[in-house]
Amino acid sequence: MATTETRTATPKAARGVPFLGVLPRLLADPAGLAVELMRATDEVVPLRVGPVTVYLVHHPDHLRHILLDNHQNYTKGPLFARADLLLGNGLVLNHGDAWLRQRRLMQPAFARQRLAAMVPAFAEVASARLSTWRQATGPLEMWTEMTAITMRALLKAMFGLSVDDQLVRRFDLAFDRIGRHVEVRGPTFFLPDWFPLPGRTAALAAVADLHAIVAQLVAERRHLGGEGDDLLGRMIAARDEDGSAMSEEQLRDEVKTLIFGGYDSTATGLAWTWYLLTTHPEAAHRAREEVLAVMPEGVPTAEQLMKLDFLGRCYHEALRLYPPFSFHPRMALKEDTVGGCRIPAGATLLYSNYAPGRNPAFWSHPDSFHPDHFLADQVAARHRFAYQAFSAGPRMCIGASMAALEAKTVLALGLRDYDLVRAANVPVMQARFGTTRAKGGIHLEVRPRAAV
């Protein structure tokens, strides 16, 4: 694929405003800022954020350097640590030898055969929620609908638990309040923890409630037998080389991390996929025909889902255009040089998930929905680090394959039974510093399809 000419002029967007630098833009429109800078220069861009300088990284060559080639020099750093209210010391925030130990303990639970065993639970939960669409009297908000599925599916498939609507609402409210506060805490990482940022009191109360919920789930799982053939059971049973198990605190943090990372990001990706399919009816028709050919009836199996190639490409294309997380931070442990830019020891870098997926040097249709971007030959020819939906390198999301399998289950069952029509509103992407959602929601009308 052709590459663009190198652009080296200092972009105006990087200059910011007095005292605050680019902080207002980083809070209001982080994805837009990243794309504007990507279109202006291929280089690493120093940005002043309040009293500190951070370095924006968006070119795949530079991403490969920090995420793979020299990944030992980079940790999540103080900016990402501001998410500790939400994730504790779970796998996302852990680092060094402690992270490696946790990753090794948890990796077997995400083996292919383990994931395949989750499909019936995904299908059961999805079918139950999708069946309620037949009674819909108006447009449905897709993020709400997908959250209702992904939360329940995770708790059932991963923890052997079925939950009621009240517990789901408690989870969602707690995660939302903490997440909103973390999105303010992140870009203001140079402020002390005690600084009274907006939403701090509500977030701390939500943390307490979230810990109580997770403690209840763990206690219930232990009551059911402790070591079972679900993810939580395998986490309880997991032992390190020295025979030690996870502490209660570590187990709690891993549960929080897996639930939040699994339900929110998957629901966001699904909501955008539904929207893109409704605005591209030819793609929706092709995806449905593929589903009907592979699984015309009954509960899907993992083997059938793996055959849904075009549907999978639609899902990944949606994640390219609307990645659930717009930025990830890193901190340089030692001085380094990235793409000719000197990175001081202790400096914070931001790498964009969003901008590489819109770079015309690597995508033939950078701003359009084009599932053929993920044909096998195009994937093989493209820079490996041009697609960042699940990060990359050793710290790639442990649940990436699980999310794709769950998403295919939901999309296949929905396409088989319903036509979705775009409602009156046109969703506007709102990429807050953490997550990428639609401002005002994604409202679609659903029409049951006649039985074949």
Side-chain angles (χ1 to χ4, degrees):
M1 187 174 292
T3 59
T4 57
E5 295 181 358
T6 300
R7 301 143 294 170
T8 57
T10 301
K12 291 182 179 180
R15 298 171 188 172
V17 298
F19 305 111
L20 297 177
V22 300
L23 180 59
R25 184 79 184 275
L26 198 57
L27 288 169
D29 185 22
L33 174 63
V35 169
E36 187 174 336
L37 293 172
M38 176 269 292
R39 288 173 176 165
T41 179
D42 290 329
E43 306 303 319
V44 175
V45 184
L47 302 172
R48 191 166 58 82
V49 180
V52 303
T53 297
V54 302
Y55 297 82
L56 178 68
V57 181
H58 59 75
H59 194 279
D61 285 345
H62 306 153
L63 293 171
R64 180 177 58 199
H65 178 82
I66 66 171
L67 297 177
L68 181 61
D69 296 342
N70 197 26
H71 72 91
Q72 298 94 337
N73 188 51
Y74 293 92
T75 184
K76 295 297 181 76
L79 196 158
F80 215 141
R82 301 280 275 188
D84 59 352
L85 282 179
L86 181 60
L87 305 176
N89 198 37
L91 203 57
V92 169
L93 291 185
N94 215 329
H95 59 88
D97 290 341
W99 168 81
L100 185 59
R101 172 184 180 272
Q102 284 302 112
R103 182 84 179 202
R104 286 172 175 169
L105 279 172
M106 297 175 64
Q107 191 66 55
F110 292 88
R112 183 186 295 269
Q113 66 270 25
R114 298 289 190 183
L115 297 181
M118 295 182 183
V119 170
F122 291 156
E124 178 185 340
V125 172
S127 295
R129 184 70 182 194
L130 293 171
S131 69
T132 67
W133 289 7
R134 293 186 177 275
Q135 287 75 51
T137 58
L140 297 173
E141 202 288 297
M142 284 295 108
W143 190 84
T144 301
E145 292 299 313
M146 295 301 101
T147 298
I149 291 174
T150 58
M151 175 72 78
R152 287 170 172 82
L154 270 174
L155 293 175
K156 185 172 182 62
M158 299 173 69
F159 308 120
L161 300 168
S162 297
V163 297
D164 57 25
D165 290 342
Q166 182 180 3
L167 188 58
V168 171
R169 284 194 295 269
R170 283 179 65 193
F171 259 124
D172 191 37
L173 181 61
F175 280 132
D176 184 65
R177 286 179 174 173
I178 301 168
R180 287 180 180 275
H181 184 56
V182 166
E183 288 174 349
V184 178
R185 276 170 58 88
T188 58
F189 67 97
F190 48 84
L191 295 174
D193 278 348
W194 54 261
F195 193 87
L197 291 169
R200 183 172 184 268
T201 300
L204 292 176
V207 169
D209 192 41
L210 185 59
H211 286 179
I213 299 171
V214 173
Q216 174 188 339
L217 289 176
V218 172
E220 289 182 5
R221 187 61 192 81
R222 289 190 185 279
H223 180 71
L224 290 174
E227 299 180 5
D229 194 32
D230 52 46
L231 182 57
L232 181 55
R234 294 193 291 273
M235 289 165 63
I236 292 171
R239 296 293 184 271
D240 203 356
E241 293 177 354
D242 62 2
S244 60
M246 292 188 210
S247 67
E248 287 297 312
E249 181 180 4
Q250 189 66 48
L251 188 63
R252 180 198 68 196
D253 288 347
E254 298 298 357
V255 169
K256 288 193 304 179
T257 298
L258 288 170
I259 295 176
F260 176 73
Y263 100 92
D264 184 90
S265 59
T266 306
T268 300
L270 279 166
W272 283 114
T273 305
W274 284 125
Y275 168 69
L276 289 166
L277 287 174
T278 62
T279 54
H280 296 81
E282 290 184 3
H285 175 76
R286 182 176 172 184
R288 176 177 291 112
E289 291 300 304
E290 180 182 65
V291 169
L292 291 174
V294 172
M295 41 169 283
E297 59 184 7
V299 177
T301 65
E303 291 75 18
Q304 288 175 321
L305 294 173
M306 292 298 293
K307 295 177 182 178
L308 299 178
D309 177 70
F310 183 73
L311 183 62
R313 284 190 271 137
C314 289
Y315 170 67
H316 285 289
E317 178 69 349
L319 294 185
R320 176 188 72 84
L321 291 169
Y322 302 106
F325 298 98
S326 54
F327 277 116
H328 285 290
R330 290 291 188 269
M331 185 188 76
L333 298 174
K334 298 178 182 179
E335 181 177 318
D336 194 13
T337 300
V338 181
C341 179
R342 174 182 170 271
I343 307 295
T348 294
L349 295 83
L350 287 176
Y351 77 85
S352 172
N353 287 4
Y354 185 82
R358 302 278 181 151
N359 192 330
F362 304 101
W363 305 91
S364 58
H365 301 76
D367 297 315
S368 302
F369 181 66
H370 188 68
D372 284 354
H373 279 146
F374 288 91
L375 285 168
D377 59 341
Q378 293 203 25
V379 172
R382 188 167 48 244
H383 198 301
R384 177 179 168 189
F385 286 78
Y387 178 58
Q388 287 291 312
F390 296 101
S391 189
R395 300 290 304 236
M396 182 176 178
C397 176
I398 196 172
S401 296
M402 182 182 71
L405 199 60
E406 181 182 5
K408 273 190 174 182
T409 304
V410 177
L411 292 167
L413 291 172
L415 283 168
R416 195 170 68 180
D417 294 341
Y418 295 95
D419 289 314
L420 277 77
V421 182
R422 194 175 93 186
N425 84 307
V426 177
V428 176
M429 188 190 73
Q430 185 177 39
R432 300 182 297 190
F433 185 75
T435 57
T436 302
R437 295 188 189 169
K439 185 177 182 180
I442 297 174
H443 299 270
L444 303 177
E445 296 179 1
V446 298
R447 299 173 183 172
R449 302 185 73 245
V452 178

